[in-house]
């Protein structure tokens, strides 16, 4: 019953510089068809009735332009546009503060993962409400090796236990806040949100997602992103 009435907030992190993409314009603002990648992402969450509020976290220099994007695209659930920090984890913390008192449950999502589906987001939310914490992920397809600085293989972890972790990552808000506070106190910086909660000794569940929920990271992701967008539009029958 309580689960049905849960209020969800979403932190969309988009304060990165996109170093690996190597473009002058940060990758979250590159156009995919006619819209910035970040707007595609925000619209996916805006359309979900379960979501009450979003906080968009961007570079300090981009706050004004993003407020304009939020207004131009009618993104009414974006209640604040906040300046992020030097690491993704610091940006998440800024976003969570902005959602204080707004939602008991939160998701963190990368602004550069525009292809997440409503079905996958709902699977992640449902799993989190069962367990307190859940992330979307897919089983890895390749054999993964650990390699040392001399280029020599040192270990081959069993593939059956390896998953590639995506976003959204969904948590009871108090749990994520506690995890991030401990991480800050310990000067620990993780590459995803689950790590902060794992460090509390709390189990984080995995909800199986889709291989198409890519994080646009390097230039070779762009043609694939165009292809995915065209495929989605064809499926929706809105191709022009
Ligand atoms: N200090 C940071 C770093 C990253 N991010 C966001 O976290 C997401 C995932 O990060 P990544 O793909 O690594 O983005 P960048 O940090 O921009 O890329 P790079 O590492 O190539 O510079 C992105 O939406 C990015 O904008 C953020 O909000 N604040
Ligand atoms: C959170 C994340 O998207 C999960 O795959 C990823 O860890 C972000 O890492 P990055 O170093 O910021 O690309």
């Amino acid at each position: 019953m309580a689960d049905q009435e849960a209020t969800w907030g979403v932190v969309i992190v988009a304060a990165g510089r996109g170093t690996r993409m190597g473009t002058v314009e940060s990758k979250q603002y590159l156009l995919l068809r006619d819209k910035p990648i970040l707007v595609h992402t925000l619209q996916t969450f805006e359309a979900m009735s379960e979501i009450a509020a979003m906080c968009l976290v961007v570079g300090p220099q981009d706050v004004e332009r993003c407020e304009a994007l939020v207004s131009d695209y009618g993104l009414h659930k974006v209640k604040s546009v906040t300046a992020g920090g030097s690491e993704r984890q610091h940006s998440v913390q800024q976003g969570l503060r902005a959602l204080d008192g707004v939602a008991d449950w939160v998701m963190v999502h990368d602004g550069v993962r525009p292809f997440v589906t409503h079905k996958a987001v709902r699977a992640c939310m449902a799993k989190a409400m069962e367990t307190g914490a859940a992330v979307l992920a897919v089983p890895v397809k390749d054999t993964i090796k650990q390699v040392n600085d001399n280029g020599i293989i040192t270990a081959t972890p069993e593939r059956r236990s390896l998953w590639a972790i995506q976003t959204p990552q969904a948590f009871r808000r108090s749990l994520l806040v506690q995890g991030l506070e401990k991480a800050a106190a310990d000067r620990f910086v993780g590459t995803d949100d689950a790590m902060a909660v794992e460090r509390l000794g709390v189990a984080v569940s995995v909800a199986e997602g889709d291989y198409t929920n890519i994080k646009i990271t390097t230039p070779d992701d762009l043609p694939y992103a165009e292809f995915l967008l065209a495929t989605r539009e064809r499926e929706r029958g809105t191709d022009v």
Side-chain angles (χ1 to χ4, degrees):
M1 185 63 177
D3 287 356
Q4 304 294 331
E5 290 162 8
T7 355
W8 281 91
V10 182
V11 176
I12 301 286
V13 282
R17 305 190 83 103
T19 321
R20 287 169 286 181
M21 184 60 75
T23 45
V24 175
E25 179 77 292
S26 295
K27 61 184 178 178
Q28 54 273 39
Y29 304 107
L30 296 178
L31 296 187
L32 201 50
R33 193 74 56 89
D34 57 341
K35 274 182 299 204
I37 288 170
L38 178 59
V39 172
H40 286 276
T41 305
L42 290 165
Q43 285 179 330
T44 295
F45 288 88
E46 176 78 23
M48 294 186 71
S49 59
E50 299 91 329
I51 287 156
M54 289 192 267
C55 173
L56 172 59
V57 187
V58 300
Q61 70 288 352
D62 293 321
V63 170
E64 267 181 44
R65 86 192 272 198
C66 284
E67 284 171 343
L69 281 179
V70 165
S71 163
D72 292 350
Y73 285 94
L75 297 162
H76 304 295
K77 290 185 184 171
V78 179
K79 305 299 181 197
S80 61
V81 180
T82 302
S86 58
E87 301 287 342
R88 184 184 177 283
Q89 183 175 300
H90 304 138
S91 298
V92 171
Q93 241 176 331
Q94 292 302 115
L96 270 183
R97 280 191 197 114
L99 289 178
D100 193 5
V102 174
D104 299 331
W105 291 86
V106 290
M107 277 181 282
V108 182
H109 187 69
D110 295 329
V112 291
R113 285 191 193 265
F115 297 113
V116 71
T117 63
H118 288 168
K119 186 174 170 211
V121 175
R122 288 191 176 112
C124 189
M125 291 161 81
K127 186 59 91 176
M129 282 192 290
E130 268 172 51
T131 65
V135 301
L136 272 187
V138 285
V140 301
K141 297 184 195 179
D142 296 320
T143 295
I144 305 291
K145 305 270 187 193
Q146 207 165 5
V147 179
N148 70 15
D149 291 345
N150 299 322
I152 304 296
I153 293 168
T154 54
T156 307
E158 207 197 323
R159 185 165 59 191
R160 203 160 44 85
S161 68
L162 295 174
W163 291 67
I165 302 302
Q166 305 175 339
T167 66
Q169 305 204 346
F171 309 90
R172 192 179 284 284
R173 184 182 179 280
S174 54
L175 193 58
L176 183 57
V177 168
Q178 194 190 340
L180 290 174
E181 280 172 359
K182 178 167 163 49
D186 297 345
R187 297 182 182 281
F188 171 85
V189 179
T191 52
D192 79 346
D193 316 300
M195 288 169 86
V197 172
E198 290 162 46
R199 294 180 78 251
L200 297 173
V202 172
V204 179
S205 307
V206 160
E208 187 156 356
D210 305 297
Y211 290 98
T212 51
N213 180 20
I214 59 165
K215 180 162 73 66
I216 297 177
T217 305
T218 48
D220 55 328
D221 291 327
L222 293 174
Y224 183 48
E226 291 287 357
F227 165 79
L228 286 173
L229 183 63
T231 307
R232 291 280 166 90
E233 286 183 347
R234 251 197 320 277
E235 281 166 4
R236 277 193 233 119
T238 56
D239 200 18
V240 284

